[in-house]
Amino acid sequence: GIACTLILMYILCTDCWAIAALYLAWLVFDWNTPKKGGRRSQWVRNWAIWRYFRDYFPIRLVKTHNLLTTRNYIFGYHPHGIMGLGAFCNFSTEATGVGQKFPGIRPYLATLAGNFRMPILRDYLMSGGICPVNRDSIDYILSKNGSGNAIIIVVGGAAESLDCTPGKNSVTLKNRKGFVKLALQHGADLVPVYSFGENEVYKQVIFEEGSWGRWVQKKFQKHIGFAPCIFHGRGLFSSNTWGLLPYSKPITTVVGEPITIPKIYNPSQKEIDFYHSMYVNSLIKLFDKYKSKFGLPETEVLEVN
């Protein structure tokens, strides 16, 4: 996003300034499009590069139940990991066949709204079916965009990314209830999603609670929306060197059984808590059912924070 902005500013200072000026004028006219479902492109979602991206790890999408096209859905994606690579590959591209596995369902991966304020980047994100994770965008998709929509929300967000490390399966969920309230207000079914291996592709320096490092991370998270993680992957030419390439560890994303949610325009806290507890239990059952199949011991327990 920063690179796109700098390039656009540079073009304004060259003989091709008119191109940049026309784009900026159109940008003003098109500013609210991300809040209205965006502008997805099947051509971009089917780029060959996404299949190479999928095969590098590899990344798989596992379907456990059919989804009705007459309903709308909110997928809760867990865990966040460093970058949510499984969420991106599975739901903002067609590399793992989400369109074939869930015919008639339009996935919208929700991410930070600030990304859509950056020129060019916003158009690239929208082409993959990515939308801002804010109230206006979610309300529009769930109420004014027909049925068959599935919004994928990485529920743990930046807070969860601070605790991700190889070998650890934990989610930040106990006090994350806003997505349940949205589901109730729109009558959108909740679907738990767990990605086995998401935490394995990067190694992170974990700062203890109360340390200066954790204090800085939380300040960034509070004021900017993301947490600066200190992490590393492998080098470009060798897996034994440090770099920013993720390790080629398998990521398997399992889409669980939908929880039928009634439409309640103004749900009470008791109702929100009830369906939130149903969701947490459903996520734990999903994890326990598939953990041994995807390389975890039977004694492994999902930690819910």
Side-chain angles (χ1 to χ4, degrees):
I2 295 172
C4 291
T5 303
L6 291 175
I7 290 170
L8 195 67
M9 292 173 63
Y10 171 75
I11 294 175
L12 279 171
C13 300
T14 67
D15 292 340
C16 298
W17 64 269
I19 296 174
L22 283 172
Y23 175 81
L24 289 173
W26 177 79
L27 183 63
V28 173
F29 173 78
D30 193 59
W31 189 253
N32 288 324
T33 298
K35 298 178 182 179
K36 298 180 178 180
R39 187 172 45 246
R40 72 176 56 219
S41 165
Q42 287 301 114
W43 174 65
V44 173
R45 288 176 60 88
N46 282 286
W47 277 352
I49 194 172
W50 305 137
R51 295 192 290 274
Y52 290 109
F53 179 79
R54 172 199 65 195
D55 294 339
Y56 171 78
F57 295 94
I59 297 174
R60 289 177 56 206
L61 179 66
V62 176
K63 170 186 174 180
T64 63
H65 292 78
N66 292 324
L67 298 181
L68 299 174
T69 57
T70 55
R71 300 286 292 175
N72 284 324
Y73 301 90
I74 293 180
F75 287 19
Y77 183 91
H78 314 269
H80 183 287
I82 294 293
M83 295 184 180
L85 298 176
F88 172 80
C89 184
N90 285 308
F91 300 113
S92 66
T93 81
E94 291 295 331
T96 56
V98 64
Q100 288 74 44
K101 291 176 179 176
F102 299 104
I105 301 297
R106 293 181 297 275
Y108 292 88
L109 178 60
T111 188
L112 291 176
N115 291 324
F116 295 89
R117 300 188 186 102
M118 297 185 181
I120 304 173
L121 174 66
R122 66 188 289 279
D123 300 287
Y124 167 69
L125 293 176
M126 285 193 292
S127 68
I130 301 176
C131 69
V133 62
N134 59 29
R135 183 62 185 259
D136 290 343
S137 178
I138 294 173
D139 282 346
Y140 183 91
I141 293 170
L142 294 180
S143 64
K144 299 178 182 178
N145 201 42
S147 60
N149 302 292
I151 298 179
I152 297 89
I153 300 177
V154 186
V155 178
E160 194 171 81
S161 68
L162 296 177
D163 292 321
C164 72
T165 187
K168 185 174 183 180
N169 288 283
S170 66
V171 296
T172 302
L173 184 56
K174 279 184 179 177
N175 297 315
R176 300 294 175 103
K177 300 180 181 180
F179 73 106
V180 178
K181 184 177 181 179
L182 281 170
L184 285 165
Q185 289 175 332
H186 293 283
D189 294 349
L190 288 171
V191 182
V193 180
Y194 197 86
S195 264
F196 295 90
E198 185 72 65
N199 286 345
E200 308 298 317
V201 297
Y202 281 110
K203 296 179 180 178
Q204 180 181 192
V205 177
I206 303 292
F207 293 103
E208 297 294 329
E209 288 292 339
S211 65
W212 67 270
R214 182 54 66 101
W215 180 83
V216 170
Q217 288 177 321
K218 288 190 172 181
K219 284 294 182 183
F220 265 84
Q221 177 192 334
K222 180 179 179 180
H223 297 292
I224 301 178
F226 72 92
C229 301
I230 300 177
F231 65 92
H232 73 84
R234 53 161 290 176
L236 181 60
F237 301 107
S238 172
S239 60
N240 296 321
T241 59
W242 287 15
L244 292 180
L245 279 181
Y247 292 103
S248 53
K249 303 289 186 179
I251 299 174
T252 305
T253 302
V254 184
V255 179
E257 182 179 4
I259 302 168
T260 303
I261 302 294
K263 187 172 184 178
I264 305 173
Y265 181 74
N266 189 23
S268 66
Q269 190 59 50
K270 185 177 180 180
E271 290 167 327
I272 294 170
D273 291 342
F274 173 76
Y275 285 101
H276 181 267
S277 65
M278 282 184 62
Y279 178 86
V280 173
N281 290 334
S282 182
L283 177 65
I284 292 172
K285 287 179 182 177
L286 180 71
F287 177 84
D288 288 340
K289 182 177 180 179
Y290 289 95
K291 61 185 178 184
S292 59
K293 187 175 181 180
F294 300 120
L296 297 178
E298 281 291 345
T299 54
E300 184 71 19
V301 176
L302 179 62
E303 181 183 330
V304 180
N305 300 315

